Amino acid sequence: MNIRTLALAPALLFAMAFPALAERIPLNEISRYLNSLTTLTSEFTQVNPDGTVSTGTVYIQRPGRVRFEYNNDPTLVLASGGSVAIFDGKSNSGPQQYPLSQTPLSIILDANVNLGRQGMVTGHSEQNNATVVTAQDPQRPQNGNIQMVFSAPTELRQWVVTDDSGQKTTVILGEMQKGGAIPASRFSIQNELRRR
């Protein structure tokens, strides 16, 4: 071992002991990334407000469409045509439906995500080598918010939706397949009503 290597050894140990701090991803880059997503399919793990854990597959087609299929659970959540429908397999009644604009998930599904809009972002920080953005609809802050977690290079990893009653639902994404074709029928609330 030569003198120069010996002199560098403490510096290398110090550098390896502390991973490089990730810089906070700018809001305009996150908006660009979300707007670039057309379709996305991913396994997910969901932590429900009561602490129970569900798993399944999520399908997203921007703008405005999402489908959550749960493993070992007949529940299905669909969003399309400006509406969200929750099909509860244990219930004989029809799905619970409400406007997509009433859920903070609409921020990700919007045709034009602009996190620079006044009043939209209420938090933007770097935590544990990830960028965390908390956003709400500036016209409807009473509907709750969504906290999105991004890794670098810019990739959506999870979100936490806090609804109008303060209940939190966390969705952690697995490996994502982006840009593939998803049939429009997978998002059709009417198709699902007929099928049931």
Side-chain angles (χ1 to χ4, degrees):
M1 183 179 284
N2 65 32
I3 298 288
R4 194 166 55 196
T5 306
L6 201 57
L8 286 174
L12 289 172
L13 283 173
F14 183 79
M16 289 189 297
F18 298 94
L21 289 177
E23 289 194 21
R24 186 174 69 166
I25 302 167
L27 293 176
N28 63 347
E29 164 61 18
I30 292 171
S31 295
R32 185 209 59 75
Y33 164 81
L34 291 172
N35 285 321
S36 74
L37 292 177
T38 52
T39 61
L40 181 155
T41 304
S42 177
E43 300 297 310
F44 71 90
T45 301
Q46 179 174 305
V47 181
N48 302 304
D50 63 1
T52 59
V53 176
S54 309
T55 59
T57 305
V58 62
Y59 303 87
I60 295 175
Q61 185 173 54
R62 294 186 64 260
R65 294 176 174 177
V66 70
R67 178 184 180 104
F68 289 91
E69 292 178 358
Y70 293 87
N71 297 329
N72 306 313
D73 184 338
T75 301
L76 176 69
V77 178
L78 287 177
S80 68
S83 294
V84 176
I86 301 171
F87 292 87
D88 181 352
K90 299 171 191 141
S91 169
N92 291 329
S93 60
Q96 179 185 357
Q97 292 193 63
Y98 51 91
L100 178 60
S101 62
Q102 288 183 3
T103 172
L105 194 58
S106 64
I107 291 169
I108 292 176
L109 299 175
D110 197 9
N112 181 24
V113 178
N114 178 6
L115 295 174
R117 278 174 56 201
Q118 186 169 357
M120 176 168 273
V121 171
T122 60
H124 181 209
S125 63
E126 187 279 328
Q127 297 173 23
N128 302 321
N129 290 336
T131 297
V132 180
V133 176
T134 304
Q136 64 185 12
D137 182 339
Q139 265 82 52
R140 304 177 191 91
Q142 70 277 7
N143 289 344
N145 64 55
I146 184 168
Q147 184 180 71
M148 299 168 282
V149 178
F150 298 88
S151 61
T154 309
E155 192 85 275
L156 180 62
R157 292 298 175 193
Q158 75 176 54
W159 64 75
V160 181
V161 169
T162 303
D163 68 17
D164 55 359
S165 65
Q167 299 278 318
K168 293 181 185 293
T169 303
T170 301
V171 173
I172 303 158
L173 299 173
E175 187 175 333
M176 293 183 277
Q177 285 102 42
K178 294 180 280 192
I182 303 173
S185 59
R186 297 210 72 162
F187 303 100
S188 172
I189 294 170
Q190 291 306 315
N191 277 7
E192 194 61 33
L193 282 167
R194 282 193 292 271
R195 192 179 74 76
R196 290 173 183 248

